[in-house]
Amino acid sequence: MLIGRSEEKHQLQKAYDSKESEFVAVYGRRRIGKTYLIKQTFKDKFCFQYTGIHGISNKEQLDEFFRSLLSQGLPSESTPPKTWFEAFHLLETLISKSRQKRKIIFIDELPWMDAPNSKFIQAFEHFWNGWAYFRDDILLIICGSATSWIINKIFRNTGGLYNRVTYRIKLHQFSLQECEEYVKAHRLNFNRNMILEGYMVMGGIPYYWSKLDAAKSMGQNINNLFLRESGELHDEFNYIYSSMFNKPEKYLKVIEALAGKKSGLTREGIIKAGELESNGQISQIIEDLIECGFVRKYCNTNKKIRDAIYQLVDCYSLFYYQFVRNAHNADEDYWVRLMKTPTYHTWCGLSFERVCLLHTKQIKTALGISGIMANIFSWHVKKTEDHPGVQIDLLIDRADNMVNVCEMKYAPKGFNITSSEIENMNTKLRVLEMYLPKYKTVQPVLITSNGAIRNQHFFEFPFQITADQLFLPYKSPSL
């Protein structure tokens, strides 16, 4: 059963219905459901499909490609290819013999077919530019785990594949609403508090949610899947980055540097914290991580682009650095014991903030401003003689000259607004106003997991949002 993905499926169908040949690239981070989306959309309509194999020689890859061609209709008397140019000519032969009106060619794990010195990319370019492009019945779909390869070899290609992709379909992780839909569809007995807990650990990665055991609580699933050494997803972290990036070492240094900084780092800050060399490669690594959804980039309205802040927003990576990396001899009760520690409560606050940052569209909808353009970012300023330094983790700078200052609090039993909380918020508002143009007005917003406790300070926050509103489906504002 395909959950969500309505827009992506619409794009695939549009490419299928086209009267011209189309080149589609479906991309996104590991475990996001790229292959599943394509196969669920087209079922048995494929003219040819092949999945590249990781870690084999170029000759072995050519042999497997040839066997797939034979099994899907290539004449048995065909000569095995010695090069990728010959292999794609054989694919042309197979396609030409097909009686299907629309010929769907699906090549999964395409990056794994590009062995060193194989001239694969040149042969692939020639197949599209010299043959498929001039027909009107080809739908070529590619995807792969090595997302950075897709980005750099296909999207950023300066040769024969420059600007050749006609549909770029980026798969994002599920929202809370889609995770809830998934839970209901698979008869998992989890309420919204449990779903939120799961999202704080796994994000909205469909593959992780598919591993949940309905007979166990969310906490038990987290413990058994991620924290126990025998857990199916215990070694997931290294597998993700090694499969997505050809040389993951520097990517991991960037991720680790950002994992230790709640509000993020500048490019120079990443280089210093990760002990990396300052060159163009670092910029590309950061851009790759943004494109894959691990990192977000934001720039304060009064800052230059070079002062942009990069922030780790991948929930699972944060969970890994906080708990999985340090989990040793974890038993059935390991996660339960962790839940009683200060480290756990600190992580809850940080992870809930990340969940909110991933649902800013829903926050805007809850505030009734979905149709208003806004710059959304974190903001901080160091202490001066005129004011104490402050940190604002979510600020919505709106085109209507209102600025929402959001406080995000994870409190399963309800958040207790104290006088110190009010004082802290008022300080943030006062300092922020010193840096804003006079025509802008600040407005505090409280976002909590389970609402605020009604006490004498409850109405100090006139705008309050709960996690229930983060579960609402996002709808684009009417034009």
Side-chain angles (χ1 to χ4, degrees), residues 167-213:
Y167 286 84
R168 296 187 185 187
I169 301 177
K170 181 179 180 179
L171 257 62
H172 298 274
Q173 60 184 310
F174 282 168
S175 65
L176 282 167
Q177 184 268 330
E178 288 167 326
C179 286
E180 184 175 45
E181 186 180 346
Y182 184 95
V183 163
K184 290 179 179 178
H186 291 80
R187 300 181 183 278
L188 299 170
N189 190 28
F190 301 143
N191 60 26
R192 285 187 169 180
N193 281 334
M194 293 179 180
I195 295 171
L196 178 59
E197 179 186 7
Y199 204 98
M200 288 162 60
V201 170
M202 303 179 288
I205 308 304
Y207 182 79
Y208 300 162
W209 287 83
S210 73
K211 296 299 178 181
L212 297 178
D213 186 343

Side-chain angles (χ1 to χ4, degrees), residues 417 453-460:
I417 305 173
I453 297 171
R454 286 182 175 269
N455 60 16
Q456 67 270 34
H457 301 296
F458 181 84
F459 293 103
E460 297 283 349

Side-chain angles (χ1 to χ4, degrees), residues 442-468:
V442 296
Q443 186 180 72
V445 176
L446 179 64
I447 306 173
T448 61
S449 56
N450 287 72
I453 297 171
R454 286 182 175 269
N455 60 16
Q456 67 270 34
H457 301 296
F458 181 84
F459 293 103
E460 297 283 349
F461 283 94
F463 295 93
Q464 296 188 22
I465 297 172
T466 68
D468 279 340

Side-chain angles (χ1 to χ4, degrees), residues 15-29:
Y16 179 81
D17 294 336
S18 171
K19 302 302 181 183
E20 300 176 349
S21 287
E22 303 289 354
F23 183 1
V24 178
V26 181
Y27 69 110
R29 61 156 290 169

